[in-house]
Short mmCIF file of all heavy atoms in Angstrom, two decimals:
data_model
loop_
_atom_site.label_atom_id
_atom_site.label_comp_id
_atom_site.label_asym_id
_atom_site.label_seq_id
_atom_site.Cartn_x
_atom_site.Cartn_y
_atom_site.Cartn_z
N HIS C 761 -42.12 -15.46 185.82
CA HIS C 761 -43.27 -15.41 186.75
C HIS C 761 -44.38 -16.38 186.33
O HIS C 761 -44.85 -17.16 187.14
CB HIS C 761 -43.84 -14.00 186.84
CG HIS C 761 -45.04 -13.93 187.74
ND1 HIS C 761 -44.92 -13.88 189.10
CD2 HIS C 761 -46.37 -13.95 187.48
CE1 HIS C 761 -46.14 -13.86 189.64
NE2 HIS C 761 -47.03 -13.89 188.67
N PHE C 762 -44.78 -16.30 185.08
CA PHE C 762 -45.92 -17.11 184.63
C PHE C 762 -45.49 -18.51 184.19
O PHE C 762 -46.30 -19.42 184.18
CB PHE C 762 -46.67 -16.39 183.50
CG PHE C 762 -47.41 -15.17 183.98
CD1 PHE C 762 -46.93 -13.90 183.74
CD2 PHE C 762 -48.59 -15.30 184.69
CE1 PHE C 762 -47.61 -12.78 184.19
CE2 PHE C 762 -49.29 -14.19 185.15
CZ PHE C 762 -48.79 -12.92 184.89
N GLY C 763 -44.22 -18.68 183.81
CA GLY C 763 -43.69 -19.99 183.47
C GLY C 763 -44.51 -20.73 182.44
O GLY C 763 -44.82 -20.20 181.38
N ASN C 764 -44.88 -21.94 182.78
CA ASN C 764 -45.62 -22.79 181.85
C ASN C 764 -47.12 -22.78 182.14
O ASN C 764 -47.80 -23.78 181.96
CB ASN C 764 -45.08 -24.22 181.91
CG ASN C 764 -43.67 -24.31 181.37
OD1 ASN C 764 -43.33 -23.62 180.43
ND2 ASN C 764 -42.86 -25.13 181.98
N VAL C 765 -47.61 -21.64 182.59
CA VAL C 765 -49.04 -21.50 182.89
C VAL C 765 -49.83 -21.57 181.58
O VAL C 765 -49.44 -20.97 180.58
CB VAL C 765 -49.31 -20.15 183.60
CG1 VAL C 765 -50.79 -19.89 183.76
CG2 VAL C 765 -48.62 -20.11 184.94
N ILE C 766 -50.91 -22.30 181.60
CA ILE C 766 -51.80 -22.35 180.43
C ILE C 766 -52.46 -20.98 180.31
O ILE C 766 -53.03 -20.46 181.28
CB ILE C 766 -52.85 -23.47 180.59
CG1 ILE C 766 -52.14 -24.81 180.66
CG2 ILE C 766 -53.86 -23.43 179.45
CD1 ILE C 766 -53.03 -25.97 181.05
N ILE C 767 -52.38 -20.42 179.13
CA ILE C 767 -52.82 -19.03 178.95
C ILE C 767 -54.28 -18.82 179.33
O ILE C 767 -54.65 -17.75 179.81
CB ILE C 767 -52.53 -18.53 177.51
CG1 ILE C 767 -52.57 -17.01 177.48
CG2 ILE C 767 -53.47 -19.16 176.51
CD1 ILE C 767 -51.74 -16.38 176.44
N LYS C 768 -55.11 -19.84 179.17
CA LYS C 768 -56.52 -19.69 179.53
C LYS C 768 -56.73 -19.52 181.03
O LYS C 768 -57.79 -19.07 181.45
CB LYS C 768 -57.32 -20.91 179.05
CG LYS C 768 -57.50 -20.93 177.56
CD LYS C 768 -58.38 -22.08 177.13
CE LYS C 768 -58.56 -22.04 175.63
NZ LYS C 768 -59.50 -23.05 175.17
N THR C 769 -55.72 -19.87 181.83
CA THR C 769 -55.86 -19.74 183.28
C THR C 769 -55.40 -18.38 183.79
O THR C 769 -55.58 -18.08 184.96
CB THR C 769 -55.07 -20.85 184.01
OG1 THR C 769 -53.67 -20.68 183.75
CG2 THR C 769 -55.53 -22.22 183.58
N ILE C 770 -54.83 -17.56 182.91
CA ILE C 770 -54.42 -16.21 183.33
C ILE C 770 -55.67 -15.33 183.36
O ILE C 770 -56.34 -15.16 182.35
CB ILE C 770 -53.36 -15.62 182.37
CG1 ILE C 770 -52.09 -16.48 182.41
CG2 ILE C 770 -53.05 -14.18 182.75
CD1 ILE C 770 -51.02 -16.06 181.43
#
Side-chain angles (χ1 to χ4, degrees):
H761 178 80
F762 290 104
N764 293 324
V765 172
I766 297 170
I767 198 153
K768 288 184 178 185
T769 64
I770 297 175

